[in-house]
Amino acid sequence: MMYAAIMGYGTIGSGVAEILLGNRERIARCAGQEIGLKYVLDLRDFPDSPVADRIVHDFHVIEEDEQVKLVVETMGGLNPAYPFVKACLEAGKHVVTSNKALVAAHGTELLQIARDRGVNFFFEASVGGGIPIIRTLYRCLMGEGIQEITGILNGTTNFILTKMDREGASFGEVLREAQELGYAEQNPEADVEGHDTCRKIAILTAMVTGKEVNYEDIHTEGITRITDMDFRYAKKLEASVKLLGSSRIVGDKVYARVAPVMIGREHPLYSVCGVYNGILVKSDMLGTSMYYGSGAGKLPTASAVVADLIEAAQNEGSNVSIGWGEGRQEIADNETNESRYFVRISGDAEEKSGQVQRAFGQVRTLVMEGADEFAVLTEGMREAEFKERAIALDSEWQKAGGEGIRQIIRAELEG
Ligand code: HSE
């Protein structure tokens, strides 16, 4: 029997307890021994829950109990998750977490402590919820040179964008509905401003490069400025707008970014809708592979935590190498990122076509019937080059006393 403790009895923590207690025999068969749930740490009591007699309020009970070899961290945030996890690893306990903020901020250090102590720090549930992407990267794709990893990594924003696309609703309306349904937090900033996706792509990039990635180095934009009008144009292009976290590895350079991107039907991530997540991996031998499923939610996320617990139990006396070592991975300046751009412009397409073509070169023009604007799709160019041209063009119109560019969205579209 190996004893486990759960720190944080919220949505995910209670899901982990449910699976540990409900699938006890199957888990014992896989782990080679029974995993007994000894403690659940929380500030609250849960007198009517199946773990009522295991609740403790003092972290030191877990830290000092030598029988407890496995610890699950599902508290979220950095404080006290970080000091608690660090103390558990230093005490020679395996730690499994679903906490992307913790992994993105302190992953390198916590992995080093785990190596030094001969235990494991696993975090499958921190990216893509129940989708097994972390283990896929360090195990199934271990012989591959990864060239790109691009994902829809946030269920809340994908739910909002999908509704805007299908129903023609505004961002504000759908956000309110998502909050009522419990998909979006009352303070949705981390999701809608792209911070959650940023931490997740930072973790995936660290897994791929084997080095620490400072998530603050990744250029991050959210979805708050995406409008129903953007989706009307997207329909004309048989496209949609998705919030993508992306990393491209070119030699020793990594181009990473989080931003809304217009993608067409032919793009593998186009069909990833609603609260689902999808992760596209391009690698040198396998080519393109994609991983799809529930990126959030109680049991999908808890399932990934339990799989990590089983792997830790199978490797009771040893550290499993997952390839994320020391050293810092530099992220290339966002200005050097290259893409096409969808640009909405006020006024008449014919009147402005000369100026637009002089600025951007060859473009595809889209006219929106009944609207006082049109849009163009540029060819691919670097961010710095595009910005310079767009600013010059816009200021020509501003100087003439008119309105200019209304919207810019990066585009990955054919044709
Ligand atoms: N807020 C996150 C999401 C939860 O919407 O995807 C899972 O990390």
Side-chain angles (χ1 to χ4, degrees):
M1 168 84 85
M2 215 170 163
Y3 284 100
I6 296 173
M7 304 194 292
Y9 196 65
T11 307
I12 316 297
S14 60
V16 174
E18 192 177 320
I19 297 176
L20 282 181
L21 300 175
N23 287 357
R24 192 188 299 253
E25 279 175 28
R26 177 182 306 157
I27 291 168
R29 256 198 325 275
C30 295
Q33 58 187 314
E34 201 172 319
I35 296 181
L37 178 58
K38 191 162 183 185
Y39 303 115
V40 174
L41 177 74
D42 205 285
L43 292 172
R44 302 158 292 178
D45 283 307
F46 295 89
D48 302 321
S49 80
V51 299
D53 57 344
R54 296 164 167 99
I55 294 283
V56 291
H57 303 299
D58 179 3
F59 166 69
H60 296 105
V61 174
I62 294 172
E63 185 188 15
E64 285 159 18
D65 188 330
E66 290 189 1
Q67 265 194 331
V68 174
K69 298 283 186 215
L70 302 167
V71 178
V72 172
E73 186 277 303
T74 44
M75 289 182 284
L78 295 182
N79 214 349
Y82 170 54
F84 285 6
V85 166
K86 193 171 169 179
C88 287
L89 290 170
E90 279 171 345
K93 301 177 195 297
H94 300 272
V95 177
V96 169
T97 184
S98 59
N99 184 341
K100 59 240 159 178
L102 175 70
V103 180
H106 299 291
T108 308
E109 182 197 5
L110 296 171
L111 283 164
Q112 184 59 48
I113 299 171
R115 281 193 291 275
D116 292 346
R117 303 291 151 138
V119 293
N120 289 289
F121 176 57
F122 288 141
F123 44 86
E124 179 63 70
S126 66
V127 182
I131 305 172
I133 183 62
I134 303 285
R135 190 163 285 105
T136 297
L137 290 174
Y138 74 75
R139 182 146 300 159
C140 311
L141 302 183
M142 63 167 85
E144 294 281 321
I146 308 283
Q147 298 152 332
E148 181 184 330
I149 185 155
T150 296
I152 293 175
L153 299 169
N154 183 271
T156 305
T157 46
N158 205 40
F159 172 84
I160 293 172
L161 292 173
T162 303
K163 277 247 169 194
M164 289 176 73
D165 187 2
R166 290 186 181 160
E167 297 173 12
S170 74
F171 170 77
E173 280 165 358
V174 185
L175 175 60
R176 269 192 299 284
E177 188 184 337
Q179 284 172 319
E180 276 157 26
L181 287 169
Y183 290 140
E185 306 281 343
Q186 284 316 305
N187 178 0
E189 196 185 323
D191 291 322
V192 299
E193 296 294 356
H195 305 314
D196 179 80
T197 298
C198 172
R199 280 159 179 79
K200 290 169 176 168
I201 195 67
I203 294 169
L204 293 179
T205 307
M207 291 301 304
V208 166
T209 61
K211 292 181 188 160
E212 178 175 60
V213 171
N214 180 3
Y215 61 84
E216 289 171 346
D217 292 345
I218 298 178
H219 176 85
T220 298
E221 294 172 25
I223 63 163
T224 52
R225 60 183 182 81
I226 301 299
T227 68
D228 35 347
M229 188 58 112
D230 300 325
F231 281 101
R232 286 177 61 191
Y233 283 103
K235 281 219 163 45
K236 282 182 183 281
L237 291 162
E238 297 199 317
S240 190
V241 181
K242 305 280 190 188
L243 182 67
L244 301 184
S246 182
S247 261
R248 275 187 312 116
I249 294 100
V250 184
D252 58 359
K253 280 205 177 339
V254 174
Y255 298 86
R257 173 171 71 201
V258 175
V261 181
M262 201 172 271
I263 58 173
R265 279 179 196 275
E266 68 289 344
H267 196 293
L269 292 170
Y270 177 87
S271 310
V272 176
C273 293
V275 292
Y276 285 95
N277 282 193
I279 300 141
L280 180 75
V281 180
K282 290 185 187 166
S283 55
D284 55 359
M285 300 295 136
L286 170 63
T288 298
S289 55
M290 199 167 111
Y291 309 88
Y292 170 84
S294 295
K298 178 177 171 173
L299 291 177
T301 310
S303 158
V305 172
V306 170
D308 275 352
L309 270 182
I310 293 172
E311 176 145 9
Q314 287 169 338
N315 293 280
E316 191 179 344
S318 63
N319 174 264
V320 176
S321 168
I322 65 165
W324 174 347
E326 301 264 275
R328 173 68 69 91
Q329 176 62 54
E330 281 210 19
I331 301 295
D333 186 344
N334 184 53
E335 298 294 298
T336 61
N337 261 316
E338 198 173 316
S339 70
R340 299 181 78 182
Y341 301 86
F342 163 84
V343 188
R344 277 177 43 216
I345 300 165
S346 74
D348 183 73
E350 267 184 41
E351 258 176 43
K352 288 188 168 170
S353 76
Q355 283 170 296
V356 169
Q357 277 184 29
R358 271 195 300 283
F360 295 133
Q362 200 182 341
V363 291
R364 179 171 167 190
T365 303
L366 301 153
V367 175
M368 183 59 71
E369 301 73 23
D372 63 342
E373 63 166 66
F374 63 101
V376 296
L377 191 62
T378 74
E379 294 297 307
M381 62 187 97
R382 290 189 162 207
E383 293 260 342
E385 190 185 353
F386 171 78
K387 270 191 204 159
E388 195 182 316
R389 295 177 186 205
I391 289 169
L393 181 61
D394 202 46
S395 65
E396 261 183 62
W397 288 322
Q398 305 284 349
K399 269 190 219 142
E403 204 196 331
I405 293 174
R406 288 186 174 168
Q407 176 65 298
I408 296 166
I409 302 176
R410 293 173 191 85
E412 281 180 36
L413 294 167
E414 289 169 9

